[in-house]
Amino acid sequence: MPTGSGADDVIDRDRLRALTVRERAAFAERNPRSAAAYARAGNLFGRVPMTWMNKNAAGYPVYVDRARGARLTDIDGHEYIDFCLGDTAAMAGHSPAPVIAAVTRRLGDLGGAGTMLPTEDAAPAGAELSRRFGVPAWSFTLTATDANRWAIRLLRAVTGRPRILVNSYCYHGSVDESLIVVGADGRPRSRDGNVGAPGDVTLTSRVAEFNDLDGLARELAHGDVAAVLMEPALTNIGIVLPEPGYLAGVRALTLRHGTYLVNDETHTFSAGPGGATAAWDLAPDVVTIGKAIGGGIPVGAYGLSAELAAALLSRADLDLIDMGGVGGTLAGNPVSMAATRATLEEVLTDAAFATMIETGAAFADGVQKIIEGHALPWSVSRIGARVEYRFASPAPRTGTESAARADADLEDFLHTYLLNRGVLLTPFHNMALMCPDTTLDDVARHHEIFAAALAELLG
Ligand SMILES: Cc1ncc(COP(=O)(O)O)c(C=O)c1O
């Protein structure tokens, strides 16, 4: 897909191909140890511990040796400024000292990683999440995917309604119900890549475009939607920001139709200490989150409104503490709880967010200037500490519009060019995330390399 649609493609594709070949060769030259490690990994499915790790711009992944704060060093000895930050898992920075201390104390000094009994860290972590996101009753999982899965099971149970509504080109983890898009004919269809679906997703789900209140109203009018599961801004198909009035409209429509509203804050947490929910004054019934709140240690969480928690707990038939409940042996484990408490109380603090957001603004401003300098038809969007540029201008309004402006060839070139010069972006689109340790010098270094890449590409 070109950077402009069809005839207005501003990129010379032959030049792009030639530069990509050159950068991949330079990558191979620079990274023999990573290449050897990859070659030795024949007993891993796809040679990687998790198949997504094959999403890399240069042919094979760099293997991590060390990581601390906003820096990561690979096994060939190259240090990177890390703007990927584990695609948000390390938004607190790599291995922050308070998390090391809390985990060491819990795991090493006190002992007990898998106990199926509570420790005293969970309640303060829940209290901090309540203070930030406004909903008072929290439960923990190991991933954000699980938080979403469990929340929607509970919402189906409490409403007796069968369907979940999501936005087209959303991402909420591998949640079967979310793998639906609005097709070219305007009708819902299974999303490409929805492998091994347990059934027809159009029977479990409904879909509306982000920023489309009429479409949402039409779908909710069927009266069979238990919950709308959404990000307050889409973050997994580039960033798609809400238009003025859209999120208030969603809340009004869900209330009118007796449908619960779930804000998935896993990525939009970058908006501030209480995510977009607090920053944009939203009032969902449920908040789901994961990744960053554990400071790198696996954890997810869902928080329920008081009304919803009471409604669920009053239903003896739901058998929440056994078979009918949702849970997991390792969920809420002492190590995750210690890490979450430390991350929230000592690392991703209100003050840390203020710095991260300032750094994010500097990142976005600099990229915007470079793009304008070349008169490129691209746009930059930001959610606090999270920034992304997209090969479309104006910025897309919906997931479908944004999906149409993907450009894998261009991304691969830019990512490899940056990688070869010590800057790591997320392998998924062009996202850059600031952690408390990211400095303005780091941002300036990115801009210098990004500008050089575009100068070479555009001539
Ligand atoms: C908005 C959102 N929700 C949920 C998830 C799933 O998180 P996890 O991979 O930790 O299960 C993701 C992952 O990228 C996400 O972006």
Side-chain angles (χ1 to χ4, degrees):
M1 187 69 58
T3 57
S5 52
D8 64 329
D9 186 5
V10 294
I11 303 297
D12 175 339
R13 296 283 147 177
D14 290 336
R15 193 180 188 122
L16 175 63
R17 261 188 296 278
L19 285 170
T20 305
V21 168
R22 186 193 77 187
E23 290 301 318
R24 286 200 171 134
F27 177 85
E29 178 94 3
R30 267 170 62 89
N31 293 288
R33 290 194 175 175
S34 283
Y38 193 58
R40 279 195 304 271
N43 283 108
L44 299 179
F45 178 46
R47 297 197 173 277
V48 282
M50 195 274 284
T51 52
W52 291 1
M53 293 181 193
N54 275 323
K55 171 92 176 112
N56 54 75
Y60 53 89
V62 292
Y63 280 63
V64 178
D65 180 25
R66 280 162 284 143
R68 194 55 62 101
R71 291 287 188 285
L72 184 149
T73 306
D74 70 21
I75 60 172
D76 284 286
H78 309 300
E79 187 180 86
Y80 299 90
I81 303 168
D82 187 359
F83 288 106
C84 167
L85 294 170
D87 194 25
T88 312
M91 191 169 82
H94 293 292
S95 298
V99 175
I100 297 174
V103 169
T104 304
R105 176 174 177 273
R106 181 69 259 173
L107 186 62
D109 302 348
L110 300 173
T115 54
M116 272 280 276
L117 288 170
T119 52
E120 287 177 304
D121 287 322
E128 188 56 19
L129 289 168
S130 301
R131 177 186 79 79
R132 292 168 181 236
F133 292 96
V135 284
W138 287 83
S139 193
F140 291 96
T141 63
L142 282 182
T143 65
T145 300
D146 272 348
N148 285 322
R149 284 192 186 132
W150 298 6
I152 65 181
R153 281 181 74 105
L154 293 174
L155 293 168
R156 280 199 173 111
V158 79
T159 58
R161 293 180 176 185
R163 297 199 201 221
I164 303 300
L165 185 141
V166 297
N167 293 127
S168 197
Y169 288 95
C170 66
Y171 186 73
H172 298 285
S174 50
V175 174
D176 290 315
E177 290 83 350
S178 67
L179 300 174
I180 184 170
V181 291
V182 177
D185 58 0
R187 297 165 62 84
R189 68 166 174 83
S190 177
R191 185 169 175 173
D192 294 346
N194 182 9
V195 293
D200 180 351
V201 70
T202 63
L203 300 178
T204 61
S205 307
R206 294 191 179 278
V207 60
E209 292 287 3
F210 195 78
N211 278 324
D212 177 10
L213 289 174
D214 291 342
L216 178 64
R218 200 171 49 242
E219 295 300 316
L220 293 184
H222 290 280
D224 58 1
V225 176
V228 170
L229 169 62
M230 67 182 293
E231 290 186 284
L234 297 182
T235 66
N236 287 291
I237 190 77
I239 288 175
V240 180
L241 293 171
E243 293 179 333
Y246 170 64
L247 295 174
V250 171
R251 181 66 280 195
L253 281 170
T254 48
L255 287 172
R256 188 176 317 149
H257 290 281
T259 298
Y260 284 109
L261 176 60
V262 184
N263 275 4
D264 181 343
E265 288 274 17
T266 304
H267 281 178
T268 49
F269 186 26
S270 61
T277 297
W280 301 344
D281 202 15
L282 308 177
D285 303 294
V286 180
V287 171
T288 57
I289 193 164
K291 301 199 187 189
I293 58 168
I297 300 295
V299 68
Y302 60 92
L304 309 173
S305 69
E307 172 267 327
L308 182 52
L312 283 161
L313 291 172
S314 71
R315 288 273 302 272
D317 60 311
L318 296 185
D319 187 20
L320 284 176
I321 58 170
D322 196 1
M323 198 54 219
V326 286
T329 309
L330 296 175
N333 73 76
V335 176
S336 293
M337 294 299 89
T340 303
R341 180 181 182 181
T343 303
L344 294 173
E345 289 184 349
E346 300 177 64
V347 188
L348 288 177
T349 58
D350 295 8
F353 267 101
T355 308
M356 291 154 63
I357 290 169
E358 234 176 81
T359 316
F363 192 101
D365 288 350
V367 170
Q368 181 73 42
K369 284 200 185 86
I370 294 165
I371 288 172
E372 280 170 9
H374 289 284
L376 283 166
W378 299 0
S379 51
V380 185
S381 300
R382 180 169 72 89
I383 306 167
R386 183 182 200 86
V387 183
E388 177 136 11
Y389 55 92
R390 196 79 182 151
F391 309 123
S393 180
R397 295 178 53 250
T398 69
T400 300
E401 279 177 25
S402 195
R405 306 307 287 251
D407 189 333
D409 294 342
L410 189 49
E411 280 178 14
D412 281 358
F413 163 67
L414 290 168
H415 289 216
T416 312
Y417 194 101
L418 287 160
L419 209 52
N420 285 340
R421 291 156 185 81
V423 169
L424 190 63
L425 287 193
T426 181
F428 301 99
H429 30 103
N430 304 305
M431 190 278 282
L433 185 66
M434 316 298 135
C435 72
D437 309 280
T438 313
T439 65
L440 292 175
D441 283 347
D442 295 339
V443 169
R445 178 72 186 136
H446 165 272
H447 291 351
E448 196 183 313
I449 302 168
F450 180 62
L454 290 187
E456 285 209 61
L457 181 62
L458 301 168

